[in-house]
Amino acid sequence: MTKLWDPYGTGNRPNPYPMYDRLREVAPVYRSQSGDIVVTGYQEVKTVLLDHETYRVGNRYEWIERQVRYLENREEDLTAIMAAMNSFLVQMNGHSHKTTRALIVDAWDNKQVNHIIKNNIDDLLSEVDGEFDLIQDFAAPLPVMTMANIMGMPLKDYQFLKNQTSNLIFSLDMYTSFKTLVRINEAAQALIGYFNDYITYRIKNPSDDLTSKIIALANQRDLGLTNDTLISICIFLFMAGEETTINLIGTGAHNLMLNRDQLEKILNSDQTFDDAIDEALRFESPVHLAGRIANSDSTLAGIEVKKSDTLTLCIGAANRDPRQYPSPHLFDIGRKAKNHIAFGAGLHFCLGSWLARIQWKIAIKELFNRFQNLDIQSEPEWNPMLSIRGLKSLHVTTNQ
Amino acid sequence: MALMSESDLIQLVSRIVSEETQLDLELVSPDKHWATFGLDSINSIYLLEKLENELGVDLNPLMFFDYPTIRTFSAHILTLRSS
Ligand code: HEM
């Protein structure tokens, strides 16, 4: 018997799209074996994202909170995860979401990042030649370095930060096992320690970095944020800025190498570049699954949703819905996929989309202008995470 | 760990379920849904951890829902261990 919702099934990691197609055809809104409601239709996902009254965010935080409380009775202490996640913007609702989001958006007044990104790319690309791993040697370190620059941290810390956030990001995944929770907890402890020291330092030594500006504006607005809250806000901001962009650079470069005519086109014309970014986002949406909780009973595409039901919104499936995009499995920058929902929609719409776009553009340009013959050497390897989709390794060669 | 028969495995899983839920072993029927024993998406995580450690297999939390009774779950573990 084949299961309709089978994200770990054979072949579904590298290519989940046939599963999404089957599911969407039978039921774009589907109550899965775990009771969770899986949404794969474009319109249906968008409806949920935009209906803030019926659906709230925070499904991961609420689950972790219950899990951590349960494990306390088993003498297992995983409370650092809760402390780290406590003010993750994407898990916050209502007034606290509104004021925290405004704090970040207003503090982030310096959008001159081109030179930062360019410098980081130069550093990374000067180290490679011949054969290299486009993910580990380029796509993964770049956004981490950029976020460290923007938030004012010393660049030497980026490897530590990368190692920790690539574990902490699993706090937003589905079906987390106990062993994964333990790893998340260790990363949470390490990052809380790091950001505690760093924020304390910035309170005494403010500069023109984003962290200092957030601290200053929070004071000016009298938000009464504790250090613990600031730590969590900054951890999420840092992680959201890098763990996602890595994947857009990785899968984007991969798809362009598979479609060389389109690669040539964008390198020759700046106008087509923006279309290419949107198609890359639509085709392999890095934030692949998002979650919501129902605040009240309702129906969605004819399916009954009960108060407190959890919903899994398959953004990656919605962006390949044939009702929205004809021939959805074709990578085609000519389709001008403007209305994709890879950055979400509504109140939680990604606040770093501009940065992701700039970074992708500069990264792809520099990469292929420097190595004109860059090509795929072997089948890429995919990451194990469901909620964030991307490549773990992509071996390439600069030789003809 | 040595190869086990399906009935041995069912006994072992039943014992761990009984320990975790504090239900008498006789009440833990292999053909009833996990929910009958009060197991859910929260407390199943620790149960799966114990089973992983006893059996030396990787158990994804979604399996708990894919195989919702001790009997079907045990049968699935046997296929994992043989592959
Ligand atoms: C390709 C890269 C990126 C993708 C695909 C992406 C995608 C998303 C999506 C889908 C959401 C909404 C999630 C939901 O509604 O549940 C989101 C939220 C968010 N993103 Fe991004 N993002 C990217 C890059 C960035 C960058 C560079 C930053 C910069 C710091 C960032 C910061 C955030 C923040 C802070 C939120 C939470 C907003 C809120 O809840 O109000 N993201 N992102």
Side-chain angles (χ1 to χ4, degrees):
Chain A
M1 187 194 72
T2 53
K3 286 164 276 178
L4 278 173
W5 174 244
D6 188 21
Y8 299 102
T10 315
N12 287 345
R13 197 75 55 82
N15 182 12
Y17 300 105
M19 172 184 74
Y20 293 152
D21 284 347
R22 282 192 298 275
L23 192 54
R24 198 192 304 99
E25 224 160 89
V26 177
V29 177
Y30 173 72
R31 192 177 286 276
S32 76
Q33 56 271 46
S34 67
D36 181 68
I37 293 173
V38 177
V39 189
T40 45
Y42 175 91
Q43 280 307 334
E44 292 80 0
V45 170
K46 204 163 182 175
T47 300
V48 175
L49 286 173
L50 293 174
D51 184 351
H52 308 288
E53 205 172 305
T54 315
Y55 309 101
R56 69 174 181 275
V57 300
N59 58 310
R60 289 307 303 162
Y61 185 75
E62 291 186 27
W63 186 86
I64 295 258
E65 189 172 30
R66 286 194 293 144
Q67 186 63 253
V68 169
R69 294 281 170 247
Y70 178 79
L71 290 171
E72 267 176 351
N73 298 325
R74 292 285 189 272
E75 315 284 308
E76 302 282 357
D77 180 4
L78 300 179
T79 43
I81 311 180
M82 272 167 64
M85 287 183 84
N86 182 278
S87 295
F88 272 17
L89 187 61
V90 79
Q91 298 282 296
M92 291 163 86
N93 292 289
H95 183 69
S96 56
H97 171 258
K98 197 172 159 200
T99 51
T100 308
R101 184 168 169 117
L103 171 67
I104 299 170
V105 171
D106 297 342
W108 205 340
D109 57 359
N110 180 3
K111 302 209 163 152
Q112 304 303 314
V113 290
N114 290 34
H115 62 289
I116 296 177
I117 296 170
K118 181 84 174 43
N119 282 345
N120 292 336
I121 290 175
D122 284 344
D123 284 353
L124 289 168
L125 290 187
S126 66
E127 297 282 313
V128 299
D129 202 5
E131 292 163 11
F132 67 100
D133 182 347
L134 195 143
I135 307 301
Q136 296 309 323
D137 299 333
F138 182 64
L142 175 60
V144 192
M145 292 162 82
T146 303
M147 283 311 292
N149 289 136
I150 290 174
M151 294 182 72
M153 280 103 89
L155 211 51
K156 68 170 173 49
D157 295 342
Y158 90 82
Q159 196 60 52
F160 164 83
L161 290 164
K162 174 77 197 91
N163 292 343
Q164 302 304 333
T165 53
S166 58
N167 281 320
L168 187 67
I169 190 73
F170 277 86
S171 61
L172 297 173
D173 205 14
M174 308 180 75
Y175 315 122
T176 25
S177 70
F178 181 78
K179 288 187 181 68
T180 305
L181 286 167
V182 170
R183 263 197 301 134
I184 298 171
N185 192 63
E186 285 164 6
Q189 280 171 337
L191 286 166
I192 289 171
Y194 180 91
F195 277 88
N196 186 35
D197 292 349
Y198 179 61
I199 286 171
T200 310
Y201 172 80
R202 280 297 173 214
I203 290 173
K204 293 201 196 100
N205 307 280
S207 173
D208 65 349
D209 59 87
L210 181 55
T211 312
S212 301
K213 287 179 182 171
I214 288 175
I215 297 168
L217 191 60
N219 281 335
Q220 193 191 319
R221 291 187 176 169
D222 234 347
L223 296 181
L225 302 185
T226 62
N227 263 19
D228 292 347
T229 302
L230 279 169
I231 290 169
S232 175
I233 291 173
C234 290
I235 290 177
F236 179 69
L237 189 59
F238 185 85
M239 186 167 80
E242 42 104 8
E243 289 294 331
T244 47
T245 311
I246 293 170
N247 302 314
L248 185 64
I249 296 173
T251 56
H254 184 227
N255 282 309
L256 287 169
M257 287 187 285
L258 291 173
N259 297 275
R260 296 219 79 102
D261 51 328
Q262 302 188 48
L263 174 61
E264 298 301 320
K265 198 184 258 174
I266 63 170
L267 291 179
N268 291 324
S269 129
D270 227 44
Q271 271 143 24
T272 53
F273 229 108
D274 285 325
D275 300 337
I277 299 178
D278 284 314
E279 182 63 353
L281 282 159
R282 181 197 74 82
F283 197 75
E284 289 293 4
S285 304
V287 174
H288 211 67
L289 310 175
R292 293 296 186 267
I293 302 175
N295 287 325
S296 54
D297 294 353
S298 65
T299 50
L300 182 65
I303 301 289
E304 265 186 55
V305 180
K306 292 253 172 288
K307 183 176 175 190
S308 302
D309 273 346
T310 51
L311 294 91
T312 295
L313 310 178
C314 301
I315 292 179
N319 281 334
R320 294 227 195 171
D321 185 338
R323 293 172 298 177
Q324 186 67 25
Y325 300 102
S327 309
H329 306 307
L330 216 67
F331 182 86
D332 173 15
I333 62 171
R335 74 168 76 235
K336 302 193 196 303
K338 280 279 172 272
N339 46 6
H340 66 73
I341 46 175
F343 288 125
L347 289 178
H348 292 273
F349 184 85
C350 180
L351 61 71
S353 61
W354 61 275
L355 176 60
R357 284 175 183 279
I358 293 179
Q359 189 145 235
W360 194 78
K361 189 167 178 170
I362 305 178
I364 295 293
K365 270 195 178 164
E366 292 294 321
L367 186 64
F368 289 106
N369 279 331
R370 196 171 302 219
F371 303 118
Q372 311 220 331
N373 298 322
L374 193 71
D375 213 346
I376 304 162
Q377 205 178 20
S378 52
E379 275 291 295
E381 220 184 305
W382 290 87
N383 271 329
M385 216 179 145
L386 294 181
S387 300
I388 310 280
R389 176 169 169 81
L391 295 174
K392 186 178 180 173
S393 73
L394 172 60
H395 291 280
V396 292
T397 167
T398 62
N399 307 317
Q400 269 182 306
Chain B
M1 145 168 249
L3 277 180
M4 274 185 151
S5 70
E6 186 163 336
S7 65
D8 285 350
L9 190 56
I10 288 174
Q11 260 183 7
L12 188 147
V13 176
S14 304
R15 175 175 59 75
I16 293 178
V17 167
S18 141
E19 279 169 19
E20 269 306 290
T21 57
Q22 315 268 304
L23 287 172
D24 282 348
L25 191 54
E26 301 88 81
L27 295 175
V28 179
S29 150
D31 295 307
K32 289 205 170 125
H33 195 283
W34 298 122
T36 326
F37 319 125
L39 290 167
D40 58 26
S41 77
I42 299 293
N43 53 22
S44 60
I45 300 297
Y46 201 62
L47 175 81
L48 289 174
E49 168 68 8
K50 284 193 155 178
L51 286 169
E52 273 195 352
N53 294 342
E54 289 240 2
L55 299 167
V57 286
D58 276 345
L59 301 173
N60 185 290
L62 185 56
M63 279 175 204
F64 175 80
F65 299 103
D66 286 335
Y67 306 97
T69 65
I70 291 174
R71 192 180 305 280
T72 53
F73 189 78
S74 303
H76 181 66
I77 290 178
L78 283 182
T79 66
L80 286 180
R81 285 161 52 105
S82 64
S83 65

